[in-house]
Amino acid sequence: MRYLWIGLAGICFALGTAGVIVPLLPTTPFMLAAVALASKGSPRFARWIRQHRLAGPAIKHWEHERAISPRAKGLAVVTLVFSAGVIWITIPSLAVRIGVTLLLVGIGSWLVTRATPSQRHKP
C-alpha cells in the first residue's frame, strides 16, 4: 500500500506541476492531494513537497489557515477567464459553453472568497 500512496502522490505532484503551464489543469488541488497521499506513504516525500520553493508556501497557507494568497487568487482567476475564452472559441455546443463557464465562475467565486494568509504564517 505504501508504494501505491507514493505513486499516486507522484502523479498528483506531476499534474500539479503541469498545471502551472496548462490551462484548466489546477495546480494547488493536485499539490494538496500530493501532500495528503505522500503523508500516508512517505512522510519524507510529504516534507519535501511542503518545503518545495514553489508549492510549499501555498500548501502551508492552506494547511494552517485554509487561506490562498492574493497572487494565487489573481493568477487562478486570469487562468479561469482565459479558459472560458478558449471554451467559447473552440466548443460549438452552446449548452456545453454555458455549463463549463458556470462551473468556472463557481470555482472562481469559491477561490476569491477564501481567506488571505495572515502575517504570522507567511513563509
Side-chain angles (χ1 to χ4, degrees):
M1 261 328 258
R2 178 177 185 262
Y3 294 109
L4 175 65
W5 296 127
I6 294 169
L8 291 172
I11 290 168
C12 286
F13 186 83
L15 289 170
T17 302
V20 172
I21 300 166
V22 179
L24 283 178
L25 189 61
T27 299
T28 304
F30 281 118
M31 291 299 181
L32 292 171
V35 167
L37 293 164
S39 295
K40 293 178 182 235
S42 172
R44 191 176 83 182
F45 186 26
R47 190 171 41 257
W48 180 83
I49 296 170
R50 283 186 181 97
Q51 293 173 348
H52 191 274
R53 73 178 180 89
L54 297 176
I59 291 167
K60 289 176 186 173
H61 290 154
W62 184 255
E63 288 181 332
H64 292 286
E65 302 180 71
R66 297 294 187 248
I68 302 172
S69 73
R71 182 179 181 274
K73 289 179 189 182
L75 186 58
V77 168
V78 167
T79 302
L80 291 169
V81 169
F82 173 77
S83 298
V86 170
I87 294 297
W88 279 85
I89 292 169
T90 60
I91 303 295
S93 169
L94 180 61
V96 171
R97 289 186 293 185
I98 291 171
V100 172
T101 300
L102 289 174
L103 176 66
L104 295 176
V105 167
I107 292 168
S109 299
W110 183 86
L111 279 170
V112 299
T113 58
R114 297 307 94 196
T116 300
S118 66
Q119 289 295 329
R120 63 189 167 103
H121 283 114
K122 296 229 179 192

